[in-house]
Short mmCIF file of all heavy atoms in Angstrom, two decimals:
data_model
loop_
_atom_site.label_atom_id
_atom_site.label_comp_id
_atom_site.label_asym_id
_atom_site.label_seq_id
_atom_site.Cartn_x
_atom_site.Cartn_y
_atom_site.Cartn_z
N HIS A 76 6.39 -13.06 27.18
CA HIS A 76 6.69 -13.21 25.76
C HIS A 76 7.96 -14.01 25.61
O HIS A 76 8.69 -14.28 26.58
CB HIS A 76 6.75 -11.87 25.04
CG HIS A 76 7.80 -10.94 25.68
ND1 HIS A 76 9.12 -10.97 25.25
CD2 HIS A 76 7.70 -10.01 26.67
CE1 HIS A 76 9.77 -10.02 25.94
NE2 HIS A 76 8.95 -9.47 26.83
N GLN A 77 8.28 -14.41 24.40
CA GLN A 77 9.44 -15.28 24.14
C GLN A 77 10.64 -14.53 23.62
O GLN A 77 11.60 -15.18 23.20
CB GLN A 77 9.05 -16.39 23.16
CG GLN A 77 7.97 -17.32 23.77
CD GLN A 77 7.56 -18.43 22.81
OE1 GLN A 77 7.93 -18.42 21.63
NE2 GLN A 77 6.80 -19.35 23.30
N MET A 78 10.59 -13.29 23.63
CA MET A 78 11.75 -12.43 23.16
C MET A 78 12.60 -11.99 24.34
O MET A 78 12.26 -12.28 25.52
CB MET A 78 11.30 -11.30 22.33
CG MET A 78 10.44 -11.58 21.12
SD MET A 78 11.41 -12.48 19.91
CE MET A 78 10.18 -13.09 18.87
N ARG A 79 13.66 -11.25 24.09
CA ARG A 79 14.45 -10.66 25.16
C ARG A 79 13.64 -9.55 25.87
O ARG A 79 12.73 -9.00 25.28
CB ARG A 79 15.76 -10.09 24.59
CG ARG A 79 16.69 -11.15 24.07
CD ARG A 79 17.90 -10.52 23.50
NE ARG A 79 17.54 -9.85 22.22
CZ ARG A 79 18.42 -9.32 21.38
NH1 ARG A 79 19.69 -9.29 21.62
NH2 ARG A 79 17.96 -8.82 20.30
N ASP A 80 14.04 -9.24 27.07
CA ASP A 80 13.42 -8.13 27.80
C ASP A 80 13.60 -6.83 26.98
O ASP A 80 14.66 -6.68 26.30
CB ASP A 80 14.10 -7.93 29.15
CG ASP A 80 13.97 -9.12 30.12
OD1 ASP A 80 13.27 -10.08 29.79
OD2 ASP A 80 14.51 -9.05 31.20
N PHE A 81 12.57 -5.97 27.00
CA PHE A 81 12.70 -4.69 26.32
C PHE A 81 11.86 -3.65 27.04
O PHE A 81 11.08 -3.90 27.87
CB PHE A 81 12.30 -4.81 24.83
CG PHE A 81 10.81 -5.08 24.65
CD1 PHE A 81 9.91 -4.07 24.39
CD2 PHE A 81 10.29 -6.38 24.67
CE1 PHE A 81 8.58 -4.26 24.16
CE2 PHE A 81 8.94 -6.64 24.45
CZ PHE A 81 8.13 -5.58 24.19
N THR A 82 12.18 -2.36 26.66
CA THR A 82 11.41 -1.27 27.20
C THR A 82 10.71 -0.56 26.00
O THR A 82 11.31 -0.47 24.92
CB THR A 82 12.36 -0.22 27.81
OG1 THR A 82 13.01 -0.87 28.92
CG2 THR A 82 11.58 0.99 28.37
N PHE A 83 9.43 -0.27 26.14
CA PHE A 83 8.65 0.37 25.12
C PHE A 83 8.23 1.76 25.60
O PHE A 83 7.72 1.92 26.74
CB PHE A 83 7.44 -0.47 24.78
CG PHE A 83 6.57 0.03 23.70
CD1 PHE A 83 6.90 -0.18 22.38
CD2 PHE A 83 5.43 0.80 23.97
CE1 PHE A 83 6.06 0.29 21.33
CE2 PHE A 83 4.66 1.29 22.94
CZ PHE A 83 4.96 1.03 21.64
N LYS A 84 8.38 2.76 24.70
CA LYS A 84 7.96 4.14 25.07
C LYS A 84 6.98 4.56 24.05
O LYS A 84 7.24 4.53 22.85
CB LYS A 84 9.12 5.04 25.14
CG LYS A 84 8.88 6.42 25.68
CD LYS A 84 10.15 7.17 25.86
CE LYS A 84 9.91 8.52 26.54
NZ LYS A 84 11.22 9.26 26.74
N ASP A 85 5.78 4.98 24.48
CA ASP A 85 4.72 5.47 23.65
C ASP A 85 4.55 6.95 23.83
O ASP A 85 4.52 7.39 24.99
CB ASP A 85 3.40 4.71 23.95
CG ASP A 85 2.31 4.95 22.92
OD1 ASP A 85 2.66 4.88 21.67
OD2 ASP A 85 1.20 5.27 23.29
N TYR A 86 4.47 7.70 22.76
CA TYR A 86 4.41 9.14 22.79
C TYR A 86 2.95 9.59 22.59
O TYR A 86 2.31 9.20 21.62
CB TYR A 86 5.33 9.74 21.75
CG TYR A 86 6.78 9.50 22.02
CD1 TYR A 86 7.37 8.29 21.62
CD2 TYR A 86 7.53 10.36 22.75
CE1 TYR A 86 8.72 8.05 21.85
CE2 TYR A 86 8.86 10.11 23.03
CZ TYR A 86 9.44 8.98 22.60
OH TYR A 86 10.76 8.67 22.83
N ALA A 87 2.54 10.55 23.41
CA ALA A 87 1.18 11.19 23.29
C ALA A 87 0.09 10.19 23.02
O ALA A 87 -0.72 10.36 22.12
CB ALA A 87 1.27 12.24 22.18
N PRO A 88 -0.09 9.16 23.96
CA PRO A 88 -1.15 8.17 23.66
C PRO A 88 -2.49 8.73 23.64
O PRO A 88 -3.37 8.27 22.78
CB PRO A 88 -0.98 7.20 24.82
CG PRO A 88 -0.14 7.95 25.86
CD PRO A 88 0.71 8.91 25.16
N GLU A 89 -2.86 9.69 24.45
CA GLU A 89 -4.21 10.31 24.37
C GLU A 89 -4.44 11.11 23.10
O GLU A 89 -5.53 11.11 22.60
CB GLU A 89 -4.45 11.18 25.59
CG GLU A 89 -4.64 10.41 26.91
CD GLU A 89 -5.90 9.60 26.99
OE1 GLU A 89 -6.88 9.80 26.21
OE2 GLU A 89 -5.90 8.65 27.79
N ILE A 90 -3.45 11.70 22.59
CA ILE A 90 -3.54 12.46 21.29
C ILE A 90 -3.84 11.45 20.18
O ILE A 90 -4.78 11.71 19.37
CB ILE A 90 -2.28 13.31 21.01
CG1 ILE A 90 -2.00 14.28 22.13
CG2 ILE A 90 -2.30 13.90 19.65
CD1 ILE A 90 -3.03 15.39 22.25
N PHE A 91 -3.09 10.35 20.13
CA PHE A 91 -3.38 9.37 19.07
C PHE A 91 -4.75 8.69 19.25
O PHE A 91 -5.40 8.38 18.31
CB PHE A 91 -2.18 8.38 19.00
CG PHE A 91 -1.01 8.95 18.35
CD1 PHE A 91 0.09 9.39 19.08
CD2 PHE A 91 -0.98 9.10 16.98
CE1 PHE A 91 1.20 9.96 18.47
CE2 PHE A 91 0.19 9.65 16.32
CZ PHE A 91 1.23 10.05 17.08
N ARG A 92 -5.19 8.55 20.45
CA ARG A 92 -6.50 8.04 20.71
C ARG A 92 -7.56 9.02 20.15
O ARG A 92 -8.49 8.62 19.42
CB ARG A 92 -6.73 7.88 22.22
CG ARG A 92 -8.20 7.46 22.54
CD ARG A 92 -8.40 7.61 24.04
NE ARG A 92 -9.64 6.99 24.41
CZ ARG A 92 -9.97 6.61 25.61
NH1 ARG A 92 -9.13 6.83 26.62
NH2 ARG A 92 -11.12 6.05 25.85
N ALA A 93 -7.30 10.32 20.36
CA ALA A 93 -8.27 11.29 19.87
C ALA A 93 -8.29 11.32 18.32
O ALA A 93 -9.33 11.51 17.70
CB ALA A 93 -7.92 12.67 20.42
N ILE A 94 -7.11 11.17 17.74
CA ILE A 94 -7.01 11.04 16.29
C ILE A 94 -7.78 9.91 15.75
O ILE A 94 -8.60 10.00 14.81
CB ILE A 94 -5.56 11.05 15.80
CG1 ILE A 94 -4.87 12.38 16.12
CG2 ILE A 94 -5.42 10.69 14.35
CD1 ILE A 94 -3.38 12.36 15.95
N ARG A 95 -7.60 8.72 16.40
CA ARG A 95 -8.39 7.55 15.97
C ARG A 95 -9.85 7.77 16.11
O ARG A 95 -10.68 7.42 15.19
CB ARG A 95 -7.96 6.29 16.74
CG ARG A 95 -6.59 5.78 16.42
CD ARG A 95 -6.32 4.42 17.02
NE ARG A 95 -6.29 4.45 18.52
CZ ARG A 95 -5.28 4.73 19.29
NH1 ARG A 95 -4.11 5.08 18.72
NH2 ARG A 95 -5.37 4.73 20.56
N GLU A 96 -10.28 8.41 17.19
CA GLU A 96 -11.71 8.75 17.37
C GLU A 96 -12.19 9.72 16.28
O GLU A 96 -13.28 9.56 15.69
CB GLU A 96 -11.98 9.35 18.75
CG GLU A 96 -11.94 8.37 19.88
CD GLU A 96 -12.14 9.05 21.20
OE1 GLU A 96 -12.45 10.28 21.29
OE2 GLU A 96 -11.90 8.34 22.27
N GLN A 97 -11.42 10.72 16.00
CA GLN A 97 -11.81 11.70 14.99
C GLN A 97 -12.05 11.08 13.62
O GLN A 97 -12.92 11.52 12.89
CB GLN A 97 -10.67 12.78 14.89
CG GLN A 97 -10.97 13.88 13.90
CD GLN A 97 -12.06 14.82 14.37
OE1 GLN A 97 -12.21 15.07 15.55
NE2 GLN A 97 -12.78 15.31 13.44
N PHE A 98 -11.26 10.07 13.29
CA PHE A 98 -11.43 9.34 12.00
C PHE A 98 -12.28 8.13 12.07
O PHE A 98 -12.21 7.26 11.14
CB PHE A 98 -10.04 9.12 11.45
CG PHE A 98 -9.35 10.34 10.96
CD1 PHE A 98 -8.50 11.08 11.72
CD2 PHE A 98 -9.62 10.87 9.68
CE1 PHE A 98 -7.82 12.15 11.31
CE2 PHE A 98 -9.06 12.01 9.24
CZ PHE A 98 -8.12 12.70 10.07
N ASP A 99 -12.98 7.92 13.21
CA ASP A 99 -13.85 6.81 13.41
C ASP A 99 -13.14 5.48 13.22
O ASP A 99 -13.68 4.54 12.60
CB ASP A 99 -15.07 6.83 12.46
CG ASP A 99 -16.06 7.99 12.83
OD1 ASP A 99 -16.21 8.21 14.06
OD2 ASP A 99 -16.63 8.58 11.96
#
Side-chain angles (χ1 to χ4, degrees):
H76 56 89
Q77 296 179 351
M78 300 294 166
R79 292 179 288 187
D80 296 357
F81 68 94
T82 300
F83 181 83
K84 190 171 183 180
D85 191 47
Y86 295 86
E89 288 292 340
I90 299 298
F91 284 101
R92 174 191 193 161
I94 292 169
R95 289 190 298 273
E96 285 178 9
Q97 182 69 33
F98 287 95
D99 290 324

